[in-house]
Amino acid sequence: MRVIVEKNGQEVSRRAAKFFDELVRNKPNCVLGLATGSTPLGVYQEMIRMHREENLDFSLVTTFNLDEYVGLEPTHPQSYRYFMQTNLFDHINVDPWKTHVPDGMVADFESACRAYEHHIVDAGGIDLQLLGIGSDGHIAFNEPGSSLGSRTRLKTLASETVRDNARFFQNEEEVPRLAVTVGVGTILEARRCILLAIGEAKADAIRATVEGPVTAQITASALQLHREVIVIVDEGAASKLARREYYDEVEKSMLLMEAKKRLPGATRR
Ligand code: PGA
């Protein structure tokens, strides 16, 4: 895992958005894995800015979101489809037909979940997956105890998640208890993952993810098995990392290597 510590949330978002910018420019028909929640909001704002001011072109991009609440219409203000429309899709030139968010209103979830997995494969697989992390260590809605090989399916939300997400609803009772979510196994198949965390409330989850054992109790820890994960956190979320100094050293070397690659005449090996 490459661990990048930035000084605040804004820098976390900027850094993450750069990876997307690079990918979309190098591979205009790439497939992006997108996430909802407070954490990725800054990344989406940055993407919108890049689209408007720097001509970042999303016209050939395909997107797949991680999850959706069961029982909320796509037009419900708390649905994740609505979140994506209002916070990103409506402000960039992505083709609406190429954006995918699991449907929380279907009659047959089993076949809809299977179809979602097939769509990802048919699109060529996810090139870059954006992830937030729950305070219980979940990625997407893969709550503690989820199989690390899990695929898209229905999942019951943990009480911690219901409490965390109640801030978006009138009260805790209104938070749906069920969600459709891609599995940990689905996420691990993305070519590259970027996990973001902002704020001290995520410090325990980040420590467990980066430095703890791989365990289904912290589903984000499964990312340790992935070949290319970039963890971008602010000082708060990094505050419980024991090997912080080492990550900073590695980052310095990475930046040096990247700068060398950009020198005129540098060849790729
Ligand atoms: P948050 O949620 O970004 O709103 O903190 C993250 C998550 O639950 O995955």
Side-chain angles (χ1 to χ4, degrees), residues 87-99:
N87 290 300
L88 181 65
F89 299 153
D90 290 348
H91 310 286
I92 58 174
N93 65 335
V94 69
D95 175 352
W97 292 102
K98 291 201 170 96
T99 67

Side-chain angles (χ1 to χ4, degrees), residues 52-178:
R52 287 184 180 156
E53 296 174 15
E54 294 164 9
N55 299 320
L56 187 60
D57 179 10
F58 291 90
S59 60
L60 300 176
V61 168
T62 300
T63 70
F64 287 91
N65 263 77
L66 292 168
D67 43 19
E68 179 60 284
Y69 288 119
V70 167
L72 298 193
E73 297 278 356
T75 50
H76 188 290
Q78 296 313 329
S79 78
Y80 286 167
R81 166 53 81 173
Y82 186 88
F83 176 101
M84 290 310 300
Q85 289 303 137
T86 51
N87 290 300
L88 181 65
F89 299 153
D90 290 348
H91 310 286
I92 58 174
N93 65 335
V94 69
D95 175 352
W97 292 102
K98 291 201 170 96
T99 67
H100 305 85
V101 179
D103 188 341
M105 294 297 291
V106 290
D108 180 355
F109 279 102
E110 223 177 289
S111 51
C113 289
R114 254 199 318 273
Y116 201 71
E117 292 272 341
H118 285 144
H119 284 145
I120 295 175
V121 173
D122 290 347
I126 288 170
D127 290 301
L128 182 55
Q129 176 66 61
L130 183 64
L131 296 163
I133 185 169
S135 56
D136 64 0
H138 71 210
I139 40 174
F141 272 133
N142 294 290
E143 299 290 25
S146 294
S147 157
L148 300 186
S150 51
R151 315 301 311 193
T152 305
R153 68 212 182 290
L154 284 184
K155 195 73 202 168
T156 304
L157 302 197
S159 50
E160 202 167 341
T161 303
V162 172
R163 263 198 314 276
D164 285 349
N165 291 3
R167 67 188 194 277
F168 300 112
F169 293 81
Q170 301 278 23
N171 54 55
E172 213 173 294
E173 275 60 57
E174 275 191 22
V175 184
R177 267 31 182 194
L178 275 181

